[in-house]
Amino acid sequence: MRNLQTHNEKERLRSYANIFSSTSFARLLKYEDFDFINKKIERYDSNKIGKNIITYSDYIRYAYNSLKKEYRCEYIYKNEIINELLLKKYGTKDTVVINEFKVGNSVADMVLFNGTSKAFEIKTELDSERRLNGQLSDYTQIFKECYIVTHESLIGKYLNKNENIGVIAITKHGKSFKMEEVRKATVSEEIDSDILMRSIRAQEYKSIITSYFGILPNVNSFKMFDECALLMKEIPDNALNSLFIAELKKRVTNTQFLKTYYKELRQLCLSLNINQTEYLKLNNKLSQTIKL
Amino acid sequence: MYYPYLRGKQFELLALREFADNYFEHCMVFPVIEPVKSSFNSMKLALRKLQEKGINYALILNPQVGELFHKTEELEIELEDLLEDRNKWTPAFILNTNAIGILGHIREKGYQNVLLICEDSVDVNNADVEELISLSEVNKVIISNDNRSLKRKLDRLGKDVIRLDDKFKPQKRNADYVDIPEERFTEEHRYYKGDGFYGFGDYTVLPSDLSEGGRLPYAVAIHLTYEKNSEEVWVRHFVSDSNDDSTNIQGKFGEAAEKATRFFDRIHYSNFSINELSTYNHEGQYPGLGVLKKISIKNHLELMNGILTSTAD
């Protein structure tokens, strides 16, 4: 009996984690499709509706807090990086945050550009360590500072990985959770131009080449990549680092507005790059009373 | 007559516009368009062009996929000006288990010369379906080829029956086409009349399922149909060589475009689409993946139109 309960409990939490899916929210915005939330309410929580939980945003807050306490999936980590680190510590002025940034053959969970460049790799209690070494070695090729973000119970394991990699942990303080920097990352000025070429957009590498050399190579667009790759090798590391950071800060993101968004949904808004107008629409939808 | 089934997305519609400009004088193509986007700009431009050039087309008023699913009213209001002159277009409905709704709508609006597209869930023995297909307002019906009982019934009712075949076989990844340089695409243009059909259709060189968005591919693939022999049209897949990651899409396009250009030079076949592609290739210009899709679709329309106009009785 006890086993069955814990089993169901896991399933319930996993269902809550599924709510925070960008595909589902994109559908909600486009088609007003509340099905993905309604199904969860019907299955697990219909008795709670009308008491403390009246609107969809109430329910999302409830689901988020349950996850934060009992089932810290990747979404919780990413969202708490935004809430606890970006908004409280780093600040959003002159900062660009990007969700899922391709680096060589890996994808960094979250990256940030302000005066420096930081990459974050999340390892939750539910993740395996597989691929971690490959990922970290990719990120360190182009980012100045790389961090593993994990749970306080796993700090020991990740501190032993690579001493240049910083470690950040979710820690429990009474009833609340905080993100704490357990070890600062070593700042690296080295940058691999080949991996950089393969991580940014065509217009971005062309802009870097133009900024440094004054002009673009005189070749057609089929050969542009190869020519730019050759030229980029010649740019000294410190200059290339600054150009890379300056270029990526031009990306149009909603980083500046995140603090005005629902604190449970900031990561979703970031990954869908929701602007202020769309946010108002989303807010209107989620303020509706739950109808089953 | 050839009835290509196209979703109303930006580059599909652009292909139709350009095709209309080039071929309005000799046109054996009757596009069937399913609107799927709630922004109507491209749609309005394309429909206006088709009307100006006197090319008849069917517009599906009850889309079953995309942003306009269940939005018949919105669709009719948005396109009101263009739909006013009913001689210039053909109202179309997708029929599945919704016969009553369609019947009501045709009567309410007084639509004539209606085209129906029957999905496989249509029950020919259902009374509402019978009533709908018997309407004198319905004169063309698109069915899939293997629905023989429906075909017989429609023949008896004296309707023009058009077969729609899903010809394009999508692979999971573009790089997978490397192992399939070409494959048979269609021969319906030779046999549809003999098989008792009024017309035939396909989804051009696109999958029949609506795909939304997608990531930057590792490989660039250009799908171009051509007449391999007097009976058959084949599709050739021209794929880039360096496909190990998603970078340098421009260079990959160059690799694939070079292969396509060389192939069509060798078989001495050209049209507006092939010309456009080889111009990009010669000038070393990357037009974007959307334009590439437009070229593939338009090439197929040009090819089928060419075959039909040259063999027309």
Side-chain angles (χ1 to χ4, degrees):
Chain A
M1 193 58 203
R2 162 119 190 96
N3 241 332
L4 188 67
Q5 264 177 9
T6 41
H7 180 70
N8 288 342
E9 185 62 5
K10 253 251 159 76
E11 234 164 59
R12 180 177 71 98
L13 292 165
R14 217 175 279 146
S15 283
Y16 288 172
N18 287 339
I19 293 177
F20 298 88
S21 125
S22 47
T23 340
S24 300
F25 271 83
R27 278 189 64 82
L28 170 65
L29 267 173
K30 227 175 187 174
Y31 305 111
E32 190 116 359
D33 182 354
F34 283 100
D35 236 36
F36 72 107
I37 305 181
N38 287 341
K39 286 214 174 94
K40 316 280 188 298
I41 302 177
E42 276 164 18
R43 201 175 312 145
Y44 303 106
D45 300 303
S46 48
N47 60 338
K48 299 194 183 75
I49 306 305
K51 294 165 199 163
N52 298 325
I53 300 171
I54 293 162
T55 64
Y56 284 99
S57 55
D58 293 341
Y59 187 70
I60 284 172
R61 193 164 303 133
Y62 159 77
Y64 186 86
N65 287 329
S66 309
L67 290 173
K68 202 156 128 183
K69 269 188 228 127
E70 299 165 86
Y71 191 82
R72 287 167 293 273
C73 54
E74 191 181 272
Y75 182 82
I76 297 289
Y77 277 78
K78 285 186 168 176
N79 202 58
E80 291 301 318
I81 291 177
I82 297 176
N83 289 340
E84 294 290 321
L85 291 183
L86 177 70
L87 299 182
K88 289 194 184 153
K89 198 165 165 225
Y90 306 140
T92 51
K93 194 165 171 283
D94 210 24
T95 299
V96 160
V97 180
I98 299 168
N99 180 47
E100 311 263 305
F101 185 85
K102 180 177 69 105
V103 189
N105 295 318
S106 314
V107 177
D109 289 320
M110 205 172 240
V111 302
L112 171 153
F113 300 91
N114 43 23
T116 179
S117 57
K118 295 184 190 201
F120 301 96
E121 181 59 31
I122 292 162
K123 288 293 164 195
T124 73
E125 298 134 275
L126 316 164
D127 287 334
S128 80
E129 275 175 65
R130 218 167 48 87
R131 298 220 344 98
L132 182 63
N133 289 331
Q135 290 167 331
L136 292 177
S137 80
D138 276 338
Y139 308 159
T140 47
Q141 308 294 318
I142 63 170
F143 282 91
K144 285 184 157 184
E145 301 170 40
C146 299
Y147 286 91
I148 294 172
V149 186
T150 189
H151 186 254
E152 55 183 338
S153 63
L154 301 172
I155 296 172
K157 177 162 101 178
Y158 291 116
L159 275 174
N160 293 331
K161 276 284 157 198
N162 174 336
E163 58 186 22
N164 295 318
I165 307 292
V167 173
I168 291 166
I170 285 199
T171 52
K172 198 165 181 228
H173 289 258
K175 278 193 169 177
S176 66
F177 292 86
K178 288 210 157 61
M179 281 260 174
E180 278 179 332
E181 207 172 270
V182 181
R183 177 172 72 199
K184 251 193 116 35
T186 316
V187 179
S188 153
E189 279 294 337
E190 276 173 41
I191 182 163
D192 182 311
S193 70
D194 276 329
I195 296 203
L196 181 58
M197 279 296 293
R198 293 178 181 279
S199 307
I200 58 182
R201 299 170 179 166
Q203 128 224 358
E204 289 166 342
Y205 63 67
K206 287 199 278 189
S207 165
I208 289 177
I209 295 296
T210 317
S211 309
Y212 191 79
F213 294 97
I215 48 163
L216 272 181
N218 183 21
V219 295
N220 69 38
S221 66
F222 301 170
K223 296 185 187 124
M224 189 59 79
F225 180 90
D226 295 335
E227 287 299 313
C228 286
L230 285 175
L231 287 171
M232 202 173 275
K233 273 194 210 313
E234 296 174 21
I235 306 178
D237 282 3
N238 58 351
L240 188 53
N241 247 319
S242 320
L243 287 167
F244 168 44
I245 292 169
E247 194 54 42
L248 268 290
K249 279 166 77 173
K250 293 185 200 160
R251 284 223 185 153
V252 181
T253 72
N254 58 3
T255 308
Q256 316 306 323
F257 310 124
L258 290 175
K259 61 171 172 293
T260 66
Y261 296 172
Y262 274 123
K263 97 177 185 302
E264 292 81 12
L265 292 181
R266 285 174 180 150
Q267 158 60 18
L268 263 168
C269 292
L270 176 70
S271 72
L272 292 169
N273 204 1
I274 284 182
N275 65 26
Q276 288 167 299
T277 331
E278 288 167 319
Y279 179 72
L280 284 179
K281 271 195 233 159
L282 181 65
N283 193 10
N284 276 336
K285 295 197 163 120
L286 296 179
S287 314
Q288 291 176 28
T289 305
I290 295 171
K291 286 183 294 272
L292 293 178
Chain B
M1 204 66 156
Y2 169 53
Y3 293 80
Y5 192 106
L6 288 165
R7 281 354 184 301
K9 295 167 76 178
Q10 188 186 358
F11 290 98
E12 281 84 340
L13 293 166
L14 187 58
L16 282 177
R17 267 161 69 192
E18 295 185 2
F19 175 82
D21 267 330
N22 299 145
Y23 292 94
F24 64 97
E25 286 169 309
H26 306 282
C27 183
M28 298 283 282
V29 175
F30 189 116
V32 179
I33 307 166
E34 180 173 20
V36 292
K37 294 277 169 197
S38 53
S39 56
F40 285 89
N41 293 342
S42 316
M43 179 63 80
K44 286 178 183 166
L45 285 171
L47 300 189
R48 191 166 298 131
K49 174 66 81 183
L50 291 168
Q51 296 191 354
E52 270 169 28
K53 297 292 175 187
I55 294 177
N56 204 344
Y57 62 90
L59 184 73
I60 294 171
L61 296 172
N62 65 335
Q64 299 295 302
V65 289
E67 296 165 15
L68 297 168
F69 182 41
H70 289 318
K71 298 262 169 83
T72 297
E73 202 181 336
E74 184 182 331
L75 183 64
E76 284 172 325
I77 291 170
E78 276 289 337
L79 299 174
E80 202 176 7
D81 296 347
L82 286 156
L83 303 187
E84 207 183 328
D85 186 347
R86 294 200 179 160
N87 294 316
K88 292 189 166 166
W89 66 287
T90 296
F93 295 92
I94 297 174
L95 174 62
N96 37 53
T97 53
N98 54 356
I100 297 181
I102 298 175
L103 269 167
H105 199 77
I106 292 175
R107 289 190 174 127
E108 184 199 331
K109 298 276 175 175
Y111 283 128
Q112 302 284 325
N113 300 317
V114 170
L115 178 145
L116 291 177
I117 299 132
C118 295
E119 292 192 338
D120 285 336
S121 57
V122 170
D123 176 2
V124 268
N125 295 313
N126 176 289
D128 301 315
V129 170
E130 288 211 37
E131 187 182 347
L132 176 62
I133 60 177
S134 309
L135 281 186
S136 62
E137 288 87 346
V138 170
N139 59 8
K140 289 192 180 73
V141 183
I142 293 183
I143 64 171
S144 69
N145 180 40
D146 50 12
N147 201 337
R148 275 192 252 167
S149 41
L150 181 56
K151 169 85 166 61
R152 294 230 172 110
K153 200 160 245 177
L154 292 165
D155 283 342
R156 277 201 298 275
L157 290 165
K159 307 294 178 188
D160 296 335
V161 185
I162 296 150
R163 56 181 285 171
L164 175 63
D165 296 278
D166 189 358
K167 291 293 188 185
F168 186 76
K169 299 186 195 76
Q171 298 296 320
K172 228 172 166 178
R173 302 167 309 146
N174 277 347
D176 296 339
Y177 292 106
V178 170
D179 304 323
I180 321 162
E182 65 170 3
E183 50 193 320
R184 209 164 60 90
F185 190 80
T186 186
E187 50 188 16
E188 302 320 330
H189 52 287
R190 292 291 175 227
Y191 300 115
Y192 74 98
K193 279 186 189 157
D195 292 347
F197 288 95
Y198 178 82
F200 69 100
D202 54 39
Y203 296 87
T204 73
V205 286
L206 297 171
S208 58
D209 288 334
L210 174 73
S211 69
E212 299 198 60
R215 290 183 164 234
L216 208 52
Y218 275 29
V220 168
I222 313 177
H223 312 290
L224 296 170
T225 49
Y226 74 105
E227 199 173 17
K228 185 161 174 152
N229 55 54
S230 58
E231 266 85 46
E232 297 168 332
V233 163
W234 284 53
V235 61
R236 258 191 111 81
H237 310 290
F238 301 96
V239 189
S240 51
D241 297 315
S242 30
N243 304 326
D244 45 324
D245 63 20
S246 66
T247 53
N248 193 11
I249 195 106
Q250 294 85 344
K252 287 171 188 167
F253 168 74
E255 293 167 359
E258 172 64 22
K259 290 180 191 171
T261 306
R262 251 194 251 152
F263 175 79
F264 283 97
D265 279 350
R266 204 176 70 229
I267 65 163
H268 302 294
Y269 175 80
S270 194
N271 57 32
F272 290 100
S273 310
I274 303 293
N275 271 337
E276 184 180 347
L277 183 65
S278 73
T279 308
Y280 292 130
N281 184 43
H282 289 137
E283 291 175 1
Q285 203 193 117
Y286 169 64
L289 293 177
V291 170
L292 203 51
K293 184 166 91 170
K294 178 208 76 181
I295 288 175
S296 301
I297 296 167
K298 194 176 139 199
N299 170 66
H300 187 61
L301 301 180
E302 289 193 68
L303 176 72
M304 298 315 282
N305 192 56
I307 294 173
L308 293 180
T309 47
S310 68
T311 56
D313 320 317

